[in-house]
Amino acid sequence: MSTIFIRTLIIYATLILAIRIMGKRQVGQLEVSELVTTFLLSELASFPITDDGIPLLFSVIPILTLVAIEVIGAYAVTKSNKLKRIFIGRPTFIIYKGKIDQKELERNRISVEELFSQLRLKSIVSIDQVEYAILEQNGQLSVITKTCVQPLSPSDINMDVPEKGIAHALIIDGAINEHNLKIAGKNAEWLKNKLKENGTSLEDVFVYTIDDTGEEKLIRRDKNRRA
C-alpha cells in the first residue's frame, strides 16, 4: 500500500512540473493542480474497470490520496506565497505600459501572431491601444486598453488625463507581495509607514493596492470571517 501511495505522489508532482514547464497558455481554464488531478482521476478510475485483475482498493487509495492532496493543497497555497508561485504561478506582463515584453513572449512560447490574434478577439485592432496585456495563471490573456481609446474617454472632449494603469496588490490577506511591491517601485519601509498612517497592522489588512498614479485602496480584514 505504501508503494501505491508514494508512486501516486511522485506521478502527481511530476505531472504538475511537466505542465508548468509546458507554459501557462497550455493550461486553459483549469489551474495546473486541478488539471493534473482531473487527468489522474480519470486514469485511476478506469484501471479496475478495464482489468478485473486489479483490486478495487488499488484505485480507491490513489483517488482518495489525490482528493486529499487537492483539498489540502488548495488551502495551503492561499496561506503561502511560495507555494502559490510553485503550484499556481503568477500573472505575467506581456505588454507593460504599452510596450511588448519580448522576453516574456519567448519564455511563454507565444508568437506575435498569436498575441495579435488574442487582441483581435477582444476587438483591439492595434497594439497602440493596449496599456497592459497580462497572461493570467489560468492561461487567459487580460487586456487593459489605454484611457484615450476607451468608450466615452476624456480624449473625446480634448481633456488630457494621465494613465492610471492598474492596481497593484501590495498586500493580500496579511501577506506582502514582494513582486508587486517591486513593480510599483516601492519598498518594505514605505509600506510599513503607510500602514502606520492608516492606523493598521499587516495582519489586519485583507487587500492593499496602489495604481500607477499613486492612488491607494485599503480593505481591512473581516474579523468575523472564519480563520
Side-chain angles (χ1 to χ4, degrees):
M1 296 301 177
S2 60
T3 301
I4 298 174
F5 180 79
I6 293 173
R7 287 176 62 187
T8 302
L9 290 179
I10 293 174
I11 293 172
Y12 179 77
T14 301
L15 285 175
I16 286 183
L17 179 62
I19 294 177
R20 289 286 295 127
I21 292 175
M22 286 171 60
K24 287 184 287 188
R25 67 188 181 94
Q26 301 290 336
V27 176
Q29 296 292 335
L30 296 175
E31 299 289 357
V32 174
S33 62
E34 295 170 336
L35 187 61
V36 170
T37 301
T38 300
F39 285 158
L40 288 180
L41 289 180
S42 62
E43 289 294 321
L44 291 170
S46 67
F47 288 157
I49 297 176
T50 57
D51 188 350
D52 55 10
I54 299 177
L56 185 61
L57 201 59
F58 277 37
S59 180
V60 172
I61 290 178
I63 288 175
L64 293 179
T65 298
L66 289 176
V67 171
I69 292 173
E70 183 61 31
V71 172
I72 296 172
Y75 177 78
V77 297
T78 64
K79 300 298 181 181
S80 170
N81 285 330
K82 289 184 178 180
L83 289 177
K84 193 176 297 183
R85 288 195 297 270
I86 293 172
F87 288 97
I88 298 180
R90 63 188 178 197
T92 300
F93 286 95
I94 301 300
I95 299 176
Y96 184 77
K97 292 187 177 180
K99 183 179 180 181
I100 297 177
D101 191 324
Q102 298 179 27
K103 289 184 178 179
E104 287 298 335
L105 275 181
E106 183 178 353
R107 189 175 71 84
N108 288 280
R109 290 183 292 283
I110 300 175
S111 67
V112 175
E113 290 81 4
E114 287 178 288
L115 175 61
F116 285 176
S117 174
Q118 289 296 314
L119 294 179
R120 287 194 298 271
L121 290 172
K122 298 179 183 298
S123 301
I124 296 173
V125 298
S126 172
I127 199 75
D128 294 333
Q129 295 178 307
V130 181
E131 182 72 2
Y132 293 98
I134 307 164
L135 188 62
E136 305 291 359
Q137 293 99 321
N138 63 2
Q140 300 299 301
L141 189 69
S142 299
V143 178
I144 294 92
T145 57
K146 293 183 177 180
T147 302
C148 63
V149 297
Q150 293 174 3
L152 300 177
S153 66
S155 63
D156 293 334
I157 52 176
N158 298 319
M159 289 182 61
D160 185 15
V161 179
E163 297 288 349
K164 296 190 69 173
I166 62 175
H168 305 283
L170 306 184
I171 300 175
I172 301 175
D173 205 8
I176 298 175
N177 188 311
E178 299 289 350
H179 178 69
N180 286 350
L181 192 64
K182 184 177 179 180
I183 287 178
K186 306 299 181 182
N187 56 42
E189 186 64 26
W190 175 89
L191 188 58
K192 180 180 178 181
N193 290 333
K194 281 296 179 180
L195 292 177
K196 187 176 181 180
E197 288 177 13
N198 283 280
T200 188
S201 64
L202 180 63
E203 294 75 17
D204 292 331
V205 176
F206 183 60
V207 176
Y208 182 65
T209 65
I210 184 172
D211 65 22
D212 294 340
T213 64
E215 184 176 342
E216 306 160 27
K217 183 175 180 61
L218 171 67
I219 301 176
R220 287 179 168 81
R221 187 196 297 270
D222 183 358
K223 296 185 181 299
N224 294 322
R225 77 171 192 173
R226 292 185 301 175

